[in-house]
Amino acid sequence: MGHGGGGAMSAELVEQIFLPALAGSSPAAPTDAAAVELGGARLAFSTDSFVVRPLFFPGGSIGDLAVNGTVNDLAMSGARAAYLSCGVILEEGVEIATVGRVAEALGAAARSAGVRVVTGDTKVVEAGHGDGVYINTSGIGLIPPGVDLRPERVVPGDVVIVSGAIGLHGVAILSKRENLRFEAEIESDCAALGGLVETMLAVTPDVHVLRDPTRGGLAASLNEIAAASGTGIVVQERAVPVPPPVASACAVLGLDPMYVANEGKLVAFVPPDHADAVLAAMRAHPLGAEAVVIGEAVAEHPGMVVARTGLGGTRVVDMPLGEQLPRIC
């Protein structure tokens, strides 16, 4: 299960098994969405599978995730999603009413994101060989001219911005799955980020990289960017926006919010001369109203992420090995 957690074990699986087998037919540095040339157009292409349990949770469902997850992967390359495919695997015995609820959520999320589901497939597996409903979505979108979002573009001095509060999705899933009760109900932040990204790129196309910190949380995304860019990253721990209910839940459960999954947030690395304008534009958008600067890229300790604590010390923020919360998307 750790190999599916989005951390070091996932990376090891891809790098040691799949990339050598696909040599010559796959990019050397895979990302959530591939940028490809076709007929003179620059396209983003992405695919993702969703196996979340439970199917419905505070703030969303597997149907919402299936649309928003792929839309967001495309958005992190600068593309506005245009078309999706949808493959659905149903387990024998799942109630038709449940399938209907998932389908309705999927359709509503697609309409809200401004994307069309244009092709799909349905399979049924025997009872005991699935978990109710699994969904795969693939998507394509156009990358605007002048936009080049890659971790390799990050340089020392880049400002690190997070679009809002972290940890909501992972804790919402856990609370529903384990029947946990907290002082305030925590809802998933599941949302499509295409509009927010367009707002940011309208200020300047010279954003260096975007990531949506899903599996492995903010810590995994920052470590991936640090490793790919060869820079160090310094985060001001107190600046990281952790809502009080998430902080309390993580304290009780022994979790670090930096490693908890999100489904409607992004982290951006922006040149310092554009950072104020991009931050202001993000805060003017509903999905970026709580955007804050949390740190910067530095020349020191290349490939490593460190957090400066409120007491003036530092701690290393490692790449997660597996995942704290399994099956969150």
Side-chain angles (χ1 to χ4, degrees):
M1 291 302 294
H3 284 100
M9 292 176 69
S10 292
E12 182 182 71
L13 181 68
V14 171
E15 291 167 4
Q16 296 188 13
I17 302 297
F18 290 104
L19 289 185
L22 298 173
S25 63
S26 182
T31 56
D32 287 341
V36 296
E37 301 278 347
L38 184 64
R42 191 159 172 253
L43 300 177
F45 180 34
S46 183
T47 189
D48 208 343
S49 300
F50 300 88
V51 295
V52 67
R53 180 173 59 85
L55 299 177
F56 305 93
F57 47 83
S61 70
I62 193 172
D64 300 286
L65 284 175
V67 171
N68 294 340
T70 295
V71 166
N72 291 348
D73 284 346
L74 294 172
M76 296 308 105
S77 69
R80 185 65 182 261
Y83 301 108
L84 297 183
S85 70
C86 179
V88 182
I89 299 175
L90 305 175
E91 182 183 14
E92 177 189 17
V94 65
E95 295 183 359
I96 292 296
T98 298
V99 179
R101 287 180 64 194
V102 170
E104 289 293 334
L106 195 151
R111 289 186 291 273
S112 179
V115 66
R116 294 179 61 198
V117 180
V118 293
T119 187
D121 181 58
T122 306
K123 293 289 189 296
V124 178
V125 298
E126 295 89 346
H129 291 267
D131 202 8
V133 179
Y134 294 156
I135 301 177
N136 172 275
T137 50
S138 297
I140 57 172
L142 283 172
I143 301 175
V147 172
D148 183 18
L149 298 173
R150 293 178 291 117
E152 293 82 2
R153 295 193 64 216
V154 171
V155 294
D158 279 359
V159 176
V160 183
I161 303 174
V162 170
S163 63
I166 66 168
L168 292 164
H169 179 70
V171 174
I173 293 291
L174 182 64
S175 66
K176 181 69 173 179
R177 181 185 298 157
E178 304 297 340
N179 245 355
L180 301 176
R181 297 286 184 269
F182 302 112
E183 290 183 7
E185 183 176 67
I186 300 172
E187 292 192 353
S188 170
D189 59 345
C190 185
L193 297 170
L196 176 60
V197 172
E198 284 189 348
T199 297
M200 297 166 66
L201 295 178
V203 174
T204 174
D206 192 29
V207 175
H208 285 168
V209 70
L210 299 175
R211 282 291 174 89
D212 56 332
T214 53
R215 294 180 303 166
L218 182 60
S221 292
L222 293 178
N223 272 278
E224 288 170 357
I225 293 168
S229 64
T231 64
I233 298 174
V234 176
V235 173
Q236 302 297 330
E237 195 167 54
R238 285 187 172 177
V240 178
V242 181
V246 170
S248 298
C250 287
V252 169
L253 298 169
L255 303 175
D256 184 337
M258 290 276 284
Y259 293 88
V260 177
N262 314 271
E263 285 292 346
K265 298 297 186 299
L266 63 79
V267 57
F269 283 67
V270 183
D273 52 338
H274 296 307
D276 288 343
V278 170
L279 183 62
M282 293 175 72
R283 288 175 172 171
H285 191 281
L287 294 178
E290 299 178 349
V292 292
V293 173
I294 64 166
E296 64 177 336
V298 297
E300 296 78 27
H301 50 78
M304 182 181 296
V305 180
V306 302
R308 289 189 178 144
T309 69
L311 297 176
T314 60
R315 68 179 180 96
V316 175
V317 181
D318 284 324
M319 186 73 166
L321 181 62
E323 187 175 29
Q324 295 185 103
L325 304 176
R327 303 285 295 279
I328 47 78
C329 63

